[in-house]
Amino acid sequence: MDRILDYAVPDDLGDGVAPGALVVCPLGPRRVLGVVVDRAPPTHAGRLVPLAGVVAGPPIPAELLDLARWMARYYLAPVAACLRMVLPPGGGGSLRRTGDGGWDLVAPPAPRERLVARLGDGARAGSPRRRAVADELGRRGGALPAAELCRVAATTMATLRAMGEEGALELVRESAPPDALTSAGGVAPARDAAPVLTPEQSAATAAIAAAMAGDGGPLLLHGVTGSGKTEVYLDAIEGARRSGRGSIVLVPEIALTPQLLGRLRARLGTRVAIWHSALTPAERAAEHRRVREGEADVVLGARSAVFAPVPRLGLIIVDEEHDPSYKQDGSPRYDARQVAARRARDAGAAVVYGSATPRPEAWHALTRHSLPRRADGSALPTVEIVDMRLQGAGPVSRPLARALHEAAARGEKAIVLASRRGFSLMALCRGCGWIARCPDCDVALVQHERPRRLACHHCGHEEPVPGVCPSCHAAEIARQGTGSQGVEASLRRLVPAMRIVRMDGSSASGRGAVARLLEEFARPGPAILLGTQMVAKGHDLPDVTVAAAVDADAPLQFAGFRSEERAFSLIVQLAGRAGRRGEPARVIVQAYEPQARAVQLGARHAVEEFLAGEVDRRRAHLLPPFSHLTRVVVDGESPEAVAAASAALASAVRDAAPAVAVLGPAPLHRLRGRTRRALLLQAPRASEMTGPLRDVLSEHDAALRRAGVRAVVDVDPQET
Ligand code: ADP
Ligand code: ZN
Ligand code: ZN
């Protein structure tokens, strides 16, 4: 709902109805949760519906109420969606009448149970394929969450159920074990002592202290992994605490940084709360209460922790500030980095953005502090670039295969990063793993849909998509991305001695999944951690002596204005993952465009040179931070309606705001049967653009609805 509704305040509710209070609003026959944003004098109260009640519990703090309303304006987002970000836990649940005639919120129950497969007695019977599933389960201790078994054994739930009926295995519901990350409070750990800071670290902490005292704006802390950024954060948090103020620490993905929580607790004690999407409602409510009441004065979490109700906020830290996950990919499309800046400004707090590979806008606009060396004195690893045009077919080059063999022989581990490449999809048998290959080139054929066929992107060979698998005759041919799955098949063939742990969006979702995968990888013996960007993020893994990117220049295939920096930061971040603690390491970067600037400079860790060039390029093209962008995607089922609506919006914005450059409407790929067109708006200041756009959209609202067309607005888009 994008509107603010007026209600009358019955006398008996009186003072409870103040801005920020949660109230019960009659809406037709329903009772819905509302947030009071303002109280006005009772002018036309006689004609208004009265509120039905006030919800028990503390109101939303004024600071967060203001922040939510600012977000709604800045991002052109529905007020309700923004208010939802600052609601206490349970805000998504339902209203309940209490015994004494009041109201409270019932949080939705969490799915805490999961299906676990256990090896049964009949395990040796059945088809070879089912035997293979049972063997896999046996190798992994005889019990595994069913979803995980499906993944590791490349099978389906249907197969597991059938095996369950045969008695080959048993499927049981079990409650998920508590996750180490989610046990709030816990045992007080031994206090770590702080090291003596280097002069560079001290300069950074002094600047943060000054900003906290109201003297200085946001800061950029630039340093490679291991250069001592976290020690600066810890010192700054302790400084905030000494002056009675709280801190928020944002990380891209909390499950990937368990050791950061450990370090925070080891240094700061148990007054550290975590803000985690996988918390159960009860855990979340407990953490929320600890924070609101000041019992915990440090909050660690992903994006949404920027809304934590920390009283007397003194410091916000945004670690790995270059990470795209800080931008929410759904309503409200807020950027936690931007929200952090705004919240810190209003609270008189300091904000620190940390990264080894900052975004050009941060590099240009913020006061910069660099930590030039790793604290343990270790050198950055040498990066080898492999020109894939000179290699055979297949995603794994000879130098990489050799490096992996050597690591396997020494019992060491490797990280292999496989970004998704373009839109290539291959035909794969879910039953046996067979992949359709070109008879001439031995590369996976790419599946096309219109007309439906398989094609080789090397030589142009074409053939029909088979109905059943030529290898095992199963009718389970699926279209599969050539991303990490394709690479996994090659690695299994080339280095069978290495255990492969795959970590990507699908395998790493769900409570505790990432922690389990990391544990599995850390088990003794040679292993490969294979996955998308995730594997290059902040965790600190021992024994990793090879770090490789199979398609380091994949981001360059996209036309977006951040493609270069994505490719660059991937390479630099990956290099930072290997060879810590002085172990010799090899970093191998495979590229189809090895001479690309991002690849060359990334391999040399030439951050300053790269970013200086990017800032120049952005200035020349008037891209952020030299302008603000807003993207409007118009979509609908009828191509004609989408074309007409997007053209009408474009000309209306041009008329309403001559200072705004309007690009497009440009056609986009169809998505789920809907035609899409995009407008890109560019203006020196965001408000010059969003103000007129808001007016235009509300004028066109009824017409868009009639035409069955939607317009989705993305302010400060990450891609264009
Ligand atoms: P980053 O956050 O940049 O990866 P850390 O703060 O984790 O770096 O530092 C890397 C390692 O160096 C850690 O073990 C840390 O305790 C240690 N370290 C950092 N700064 C110092 C210092 N000034 N003196 C001694 N050790 C330090
Ligand atoms: Zn071919
Ligand atoms: Zn098959």
Side-chain angles (χ1 to χ4, degrees):
M1 188 183 300
D2 194 18
R3 276 175 310 151
I4 292 172
L5 302 178
D6 292 337
Y7 283 90
V9 181
D11 289 341
D12 58 328
L13 297 182
D15 294 345
V17 185
L22 306 187
V23 289
V24 183
C25 305
L27 195 68
R30 296 187 301 142
R31 297 282 180 275
V32 301
L33 178 67
V35 177
V36 179
V37 293
D38 212 350
R39 263 191 90 150
T43 44
H44 53 312
R47 284 175 285 121
L48 294 176
V49 176
L51 288 175
V54 175
V55 178
I60 296 170
E63 178 210 2
L64 291 179
L65 191 62
D66 288 348
L67 191 67
R69 297 197 68 187
W70 167 80
M71 270 211 318
R73 282 196 307 280
Y74 185 90
Y75 291 107
L76 260 70
V79 180
C82 296
L83 286 170
R84 200 163 289 133
M85 304 304 301
V86 297
L87 279 181
S94 51
L95 288 163
R96 179 177 65 187
R97 264 228 112 104
T98 54
D100 56 5
W103 294 83
D104 66 6
L105 285 168
V106 200
R112 286 225 50 175
E113 283 195 339
R114 58 181 183 173
L115 204 56
V116 173
R118 296 183 176 285
L119 213 51
D121 302 331
R124 299 297 155 217
S127 69
R129 204 172 117 207
R130 292 184 182 178
R131 267 211 308 278
V133 174
D135 286 348
E136 190 69 44
L137 186 56
R139 265 201 299 283
R140 289 166 193 267
L144 214 58
E148 205 171 323
L149 180 59
C150 285
R151 184 177 60 76
V152 297
T155 188
T156 60
M157 272 311 297
T159 306
L160 296 192
R161 286 217 184 79
M163 292 175 68
E165 277 159 24
E166 287 169 4
L169 53 78
E170 215 186 327
L171 288 173
V172 283
R173 292 215 160 269
E174 279 186 5
S175 58
D179 183 321
L181 274 180
T182 60
S183 48
V187 188
R191 291 292 185 105
D192 267 4
V196 178
L197 297 184
T198 63
E200 290 92 357
Q201 285 172 317
S202 302
T205 57
I208 297 170
M212 224 180 302
D215 184 14
L219 293 138
L220 174 65
L221 186 60
H222 168 232
V224 296
T225 330
S227 62
K229 294 187 297 299
T230 307
E231 290 298 339
V232 171
Y233 303 156
L234 290 168
D235 190 89
I237 294 168
E238 287 184 313
R241 180 178 273 182
R242 276 194 300 276
S243 49
R245 300 176 74 177
S247 304
I248 294 175
V249 182
L250 301 181
V251 292
E253 159 69 83
I254 190 167
L256 288 175
T257 47
Q259 59 273 67
L260 179 57
L261 177 65
R263 276 174 78 183
L264 289 170
R265 290 221 168 120
R267 180 73 65 80
L268 304 162
T270 53
R271 291 176 59 204
V272 179
I274 44 174
W275 222 249
H276 191 320
S277 61
L279 293 184
T280 65
E283 289 164 337
R284 195 173 312 191
E287 290 297 69
H288 193 272
R289 190 196 53 74
R290 289 204 317 141
V291 171
R292 205 182 51 228
E293 294 175 2
E295 204 176 291
D297 61 353
V298 181
V299 177
L300 170 67
R303 190 169 62 218
S304 67
V306 75
F307 302 108
V310 176
R312 296 178 306 283
L313 182 66
L315 174 65
I316 304 179
I317 289 161
V318 185
D319 194 26
E320 308 289 355
E321 75 89 29
H322 60 278
D323 198 284
S325 72
Y326 282 120
K327 182 84 200 271
Q328 175 148 297
D329 190 20
S331 178
R333 295 174 183 273
Y334 72 94
D335 189 323
R337 294 165 292 209
Q338 181 81 7
V339 176
R342 174 73 188 203
R343 185 170 177 193
R345 202 198 72 182
D346 290 350
V351 50
V352 183
Y353 300 89
S355 175
T357 54
R359 291 170 303 156
E361 48 264 68
W363 186 258
H364 175 74
L366 306 179
T367 310
R368 198 188 305 158
H369 286 266
S370 287
L371 304 179
R373 276 171 299 279
R374 282 181 159 178
D376 65 0
S378 67
L380 292 169
T382 310
V383 176
E384 303 161 46
I385 301 175
V386 175
D387 184 345
M388 290 303 278
R389 294 167 306 182
L390 309 177
Q391 295 289 320
V396 178
S397 66
R398 288 181 296 271
L400 176 55
R402 215 174 304 125
L404 292 172
H405 272 296
E406 287 165 14
R410 292 190 303 261
E412 294 164 352
K413 297 191 188 335
I415 294 179
V416 176
L417 171 83
S419 326
R420 253 177 309 129
R421 258 191 96 76
F423 303 95
S424 339
L425 293 162
M426 60 194 182
L428 170 115
C429 171
R430 289 205 190 279
C432 69
W434 170 87
I435 293 168
R437 297 186 165 277
C438 176
D440 300 323
C441 315
D442 192 39
V443 296
L445 294 172
V446 175
Q447 187 163 338
H448 291 247
E449 283 307 292
R450 259 180 308 260
R452 190 171 147 83
R453 68 194 196 284
L454 294 169
C456 174
H457 282 193
H458 275 245
C459 70
H461 165 88
E462 287 195 2
E463 61 183 67
V465 181
V468 296
C469 172
S471 164
C472 74
H473 308 293
E476 285 189 290
I477 304 295
R479 254 167 48 152
Q480 188 88 269
T482 53
S484 47
Q485 291 103 331
V487 177
E488 181 173 7
S490 295
L491 289 172
R492 281 202 196 291
R493 210 156 24 86
L494 291 167
V495 266
M498 277 186 136
R499 229 166 4 102
I500 296 179
V501 178
R502 213 178 74 215
M503 182 155 83
D504 52 31
S506 50
S507 76
S509 61
R511 186 185 167 98
V514 169
R516 261 202 312 281
L517 292 173
L518 290 177
E519 264 167 39
E520 200 179 321
F521 179 59
R523 282 203 336 245
I528 297 174
L529 182 66
L530 168 68
T532 49
Q533 282 81 325
M534 238 181 218
V535 302
K537 287 187 185 176
H539 35 261
D540 180 9
L541 302 162
D543 306 332
V544 173
T545 58
V546 177
V550 296
D551 48 3
D553 51 355
L556 297 179
Q557 293 184 331
F558 298 96
F561 71 98
R562 294 185 196 278
S563 312
E564 296 263 329
E565 68 201 64
R566 292 264 155 84
F568 176 82
S569 79
L570 221 53
I571 294 171
V572 175
Q573 300 283 341
L574 181 74
R577 296 277 74 82
R580 300 189 63 180
R581 306 202 186 122
E583 297 143 6
R586 288 185 69 178
V587 180
I588 296 173
V589 163
Q590 302 187 161
Y592 292 84
E593 293 174 63
Q595 73 295 345
R597 185 168 173 272
V599 174
Q600 288 290 330
L601 294 181
R604 290 191 352 237
H605 313 279
V607 177
E608 307 213 356
E609 186 179 345
F610 176 77
L611 285 173
E614 285 303 289
V615 170
D616 286 347
R617 201 168 61 91
R618 295 234 188 145
R619 187 185 287 114
H621 294 95
L622 282 184
L623 287 164
F626 304 99
S627 74
H628 275 270
L629 301 177
T630 295
R631 192 169 190 250
V632 183
V633 174
V634 178
D635 79 335
E637 276 168 21
S638 150
E640 295 75 27
V642 169
S646 55
L649 286 178
S651 73
V653 175
R654 285 186 182 108
D655 290 347
V660 175
V662 181
L663 309 177
L668 299 176
H669 292 276
R670 277 169 69 86
L671 200 64
R672 287 182 282 274
R674 294 174 76 88
T675 298
R676 302 185 302 151
R677 278 172 182 265
L679 302 180
L680 189 65
L681 279 50
Q682 193 173 30
R685 287 156 47 89
S687 56
E688 288 169 18
M689 175 166 55
T690 46
L693 180 59
R694 179 183 288 279
D695 295 344
V696 165
L697 286 173
S698 67
E699 261 164 47
H700 284 70
D701 188 49
L704 293 177
R705 273 173 213 276
R706 270 198 308 278
V709 166
R710 274 187 320 195
V712 174
V713 176
D714 189 0
V715 177
D716 298 339
Q718 292 303 288
E719 291 301 344
T720 56

